[in-house]
Amino acid sequence: MSVSHPTPTPQAAASALTGALAGAPTPNLWRRMACWLYEGMLMFGVVFIAGYLFGTLSQTRNAMDNRHALQAFLFVVFGIYFTWFWAKGQTLAQKTWHIRVVGTAGQPISQTRALLRYVLSWLWFLPPLAAAALFSLSGGESAVIVLGWVAIWALLSRFHPTQQFWHDALAGTRLVHYEIPKK
């Protein structure tokens, strides 16, 4: 005689996940930065496809033609990519590194909150890029400024009470360690 177990409703499953993630630990800085670098490598594919699509649709013949329009297009494509996956909980890189984006109470985030997180995540790059443009820095100097700012921005997470990145704190999100339980 077999005993049947009722399958949980989607609401019950979401509630159980939220409860499990509410107290989940913050991944350490090295793991988050490794995930960030892996995400950057994956974005090469996204940039390649989006750039090819843009070039084809705009009939761009020279890489410097429509440069600002291409940058705006890529900003939108990145926004769609990250907003979509963060609203689902994880990007591919975050799945690999067992990191999940959740709200401050451990709940899944909405697309609006994911979009806010995306816009605020540009704090990793906008200040040094603005400084490079303002002072007309060379490519090498700009790279040093950008890499230095990224290191400083990452280390500033040490001053947050739960070690979160500051764009997460401003967006009302947090990164947590999450592994799918094995059955």
Side-chain angles (χ1 to χ4, degrees):
M1 176 177 207
S2 68
V3 177
S4 94
H5 297 286
T7 47
T9 64
Q11 294 83 6
S15 178
L17 180 62
T18 298
L21 294 175
T26 301
N28 68 40
L29 181 59
W30 292 111
R31 237 175 83 218
R32 289 182 288 165
M33 293 308 293
C35 179
W36 186 76
L37 287 172
Y38 182 40
E39 194 78 66
M41 288 190 297
L42 294 176
M43 293 311 294
F44 275 114
V46 173
V47 168
F48 177 79
I49 299 218
Y52 179 77
L53 179 65
F54 179 85
T56 301
L57 293 175
S58 67
Q59 295 296 305
T60 301
R61 301 282 182 241
N62 184 327
M64 296 307 285
D65 291 346
N66 298 329
R67 181 172 55 117
H68 298 297
L70 174 60
Q71 290 171 341
F73 180 73
L74 288 175
F75 179 81
V76 171
V77 168
F78 288 171
I80 292 168
Y81 172 88
F82 285 112
T83 299
W84 172 266
F85 282 108
W86 287 338
K88 301 278 184 204
Q90 298 169 294
T91 63
L92 177 60
Q94 290 170 329
K95 283 182 183 179
T96 303
W97 287 92
H98 305 291
I99 296 172
R100 193 170 183 93
V101 179
V102 296
T104 53
Q107 77 280 14
I109 62 172
S110 66
Q111 285 190 337
T112 304
R113 179 133 338 218
L115 180 60
L116 176 63
R117 184 178 194 269
Y118 170 70
V119 170
L120 290 171
S121 71
W122 278 93
L123 290 172
W124 283 90
F125 298 106
L126 286 183
L129 292 176
L134 182 66
F135 297 111
S136 301
L137 300 178
S138 69
E141 293 168 329
S142 296
V144 168
I145 297 293
V146 169
L147 292 174
W149 177 254
V150 164
I152 289 168
W153 187 254
L155 290 173
L156 284 174
S157 70
R158 305 295 235 167
F159 296 106
H160 187 274
T162 60
Q163 308 277 307
Q164 294 294 324
F165 292 128
W166 286 99
H167 68 277
D168 279 311
L170 295 170
T173 60
R174 50 186 275 244
L175 295 175
V176 296
H177 173 79
Y178 175 73
E179 290 188 53
I180 298 173
K182 296 185 176 157
K183 295 184 181 190

